[in-house]
Amino acid sequence: QPDTIELEKQTLQIVLPGETVLPGSGTYNMGGTGRTGTPQPWTAGTTHYVTVNVVDKHFNVIPTAGVQVLTAVTNNAVADPFVPGQSIYFVGTTTYAFDLLTATASTSFTASWQSGYPLDPSGNYSNPPSSLFAVQYSTAVKLQVLVPGETARPGSPTGKWPGTVTPEAAGIPFPVTVNAVDSDFNIVPSVTNGVVLKSTDPYTPSLVVQPLQSGTTIFQMIFAQANPNGWVVTASTTSGNLLQNAQSALIPVTPGPAAKLQLLLPGQTPVAGDITHFGRTTHSPQPATAGSAYYVTVRLTDAYYNLMTTGTMPATPPNVTVTANDPYTDISNWTPLGEEDRKSTRLNSSHLGI
């Protein structure tokens, strides 16, 4: 029977799956718990049940004690912020259902008295913690892509902390992390699938397939074409149980460091990023007419033929010179053409071929 002599000595008791109540086993104000057994590990995203009892100091349930109790993950603002606590009014005993989302080696619950049957106000007897228990990751179902500026946040709706993606420079390698995760973005370390990474940048150098190691891998990616609006990276599995593809946020790309000069003839247009064709269209240039002006455009670019819109083109020869195999060609009249075409020259050719 509940203690009838010291009615002020009441507390709350939390019992987890794997534990069994053991009334009479010690007293709560002397370090007793009134329970036995080892808490079972939980699985993220799966419903588990927590029992809360109102007990006397010897852990006998007080069946007439009506209380309002808030039960929540201990320090849940940090430990599992997307799982709110639950406030329930009950008499004597009740059960709470929780779906924890964040895998962790150790966590606990706290039951906090809010109103009703008075409990022992000393110590933390009105808001005792549960035993410690682990929350394990669930089955891998999808991939996750993290780019510079992003940090993983398991258990959150997006799997990431709020943040701004870092712009990248064309031609400069940068890390892209790919994780195999469960439905709540917990990494599943047992997954070893092969993974490939592709980009919406049509000139991104191809990457080889990489295996996941402990559920994760890091690619070194290069964008070729500058794009202030950004490119998207997509990760997909190539072996094992195929997981849902993942896309990155838009990654803005700026030109890389100035590296070369590009020559464009009439009829040719620039194609940034296309190093196979020297950053220009592949069709033949317009023919020149002997004795007539033939304008050639010279552009300052990075290694992938992205125009250096903030770069400085040397103003006049001999810093930049244009030569032709026609020994009688007249090269003169440098003319600035604004940001898109930095400089041009006039070739007065005495022959059709330049």
Side-chain angles (χ1 to χ4, degrees):
Q1 295 293 321
D3 194 311
T4 58
I5 299 175
E6 297 184 89
L7 292 179
E8 77 279 6
K9 299 296 185 181
Q10 292 89 35
T11 188
L12 298 174
Q13 178 192 47
I14 304 175
V15 183
L16 300 175
E19 294 183 317
T20 303
V21 295
L22 195 61
S25 59
T27 59
Y28 71 81
N29 58 344
M30 297 295 290
T33 64
R35 58 189 180 236
T36 186
T38 301
Q40 298 171 356
W42 289 29
T43 300
T46 301
T47 301
H48 298 266
Y49 297 93
V50 177
T51 298
V52 178
N53 301 319
V54 183
V55 296
D56 63 20
K57 72 175 184 178
H58 297 294
F59 301 105
N60 299 291
V61 173
I62 305 175
T64 59
V67 289
Q68 186 81 27
V69 173
L70 174 66
T71 300
V73 176
T74 304
N75 194 21
N76 71 322
V78 174
D80 215 334
F82 299 98
V83 179
Q86 301 177 34
S87 181
I88 296 178
Y89 177 83
F90 64 93
V91 178
T93 184
T94 194
T95 300
Y96 294 75
F98 280 98
D99 291 357
L100 299 189
L101 304 178
T102 306
T104 179
S106 180
T107 191
S108 64
F109 282 98
T110 298
S112 301
W113 178 90
Q114 294 182 302
S115 63
Y117 195 87
L119 302 181
D120 187 345
S122 62
N124 66 342
Y125 303 136
S126 60
N127 58 342
S130 71
S131 302
L132 296 175
F133 64 99
V135 181
Q136 300 174 338
Y137 50 82
S138 187
T139 303
V141 296
K142 58 188 174 183
L143 296 175
Q144 177 189 47
V145 174
L146 298 173
V147 298
E150 295 182 322
T151 304
R153 190 182 193 184
S156 68
T158 64
K160 304 174 185 180
W161 285 90
T164 302
V165 172
T166 303
E168 301 298 334
I172 306 300
F174 66 96
V176 177
T177 300
V178 179
N179 298 322
V181 296
D182 63 17
S183 58
D184 296 303
F185 295 100
N186 298 290
I187 292 178
V188 181
S190 59
V191 177
T192 58
N193 298 41
V195 176
V196 67
L197 206 60
K198 294 184 178 180
S199 165
T200 52
D201 176 358
Y203 301 108
T204 293
S206 298
L207 296 173
V208 299
V209 173
Q210 293 184 191
L212 294 168
Q213 297 181 340
S214 298
T216 187
T217 189
I218 298 176
F219 289 86
Q220 291 296 320
M221 189 155 201
I222 294 175
F223 284 130
Q225 190 177 87
N227 180 0
N229 295 321
W231 299 115
V232 173
V233 172
T234 299
S236 58
T237 45
T238 61
S239 62
N241 293 326
L242 299 184
L243 305 178
Q244 180 181 330
N245 294 354
Q247 289 188 334
S248 72
L250 286 167
I251 308 169
V253 182
T254 61
K260 62 179 71 174
L261 298 176
Q262 181 187 37
L263 192 68
L264 296 177
L265 302 179
Q268 294 180 325
T269 56
V271 182
D274 186 3
I275 60 174
T276 301
H277 301 108
F278 306 102
R280 61 196 178 206
T281 51
T282 58
H283 53 263
S284 299
Q286 297 174 4
T289 301
S292 299
Y294 192 71
Y295 289 93
V296 174
T297 300
V298 179
R299 306 168 81 236
L300 178 63
T301 72
D302 64 13
Y304 282 81
Y305 296 100
N306 294 286
L307 180 66
M308 304 301 298
T309 57
T310 59
T312 301
M313 175 73 81
T316 57
N319 294 319
V320 173
T321 60
V322 177
T323 60
N325 58 7
D326 176 358
Y328 303 106
T329 295
D330 173 22
I331 301 176
S332 60
N333 298 333
W334 283 88
T335 305
L337 296 180
E339 293 299 326
E340 287 302 319
D341 297 307
R342 306 299 293 183
K343 295 291 178 182
S344 68
T345 187
R346 180 186 182 205
L347 304 183
N348 284 324
S349 176
S350 60
H351 296 284
L352 290 179
I354 293 180

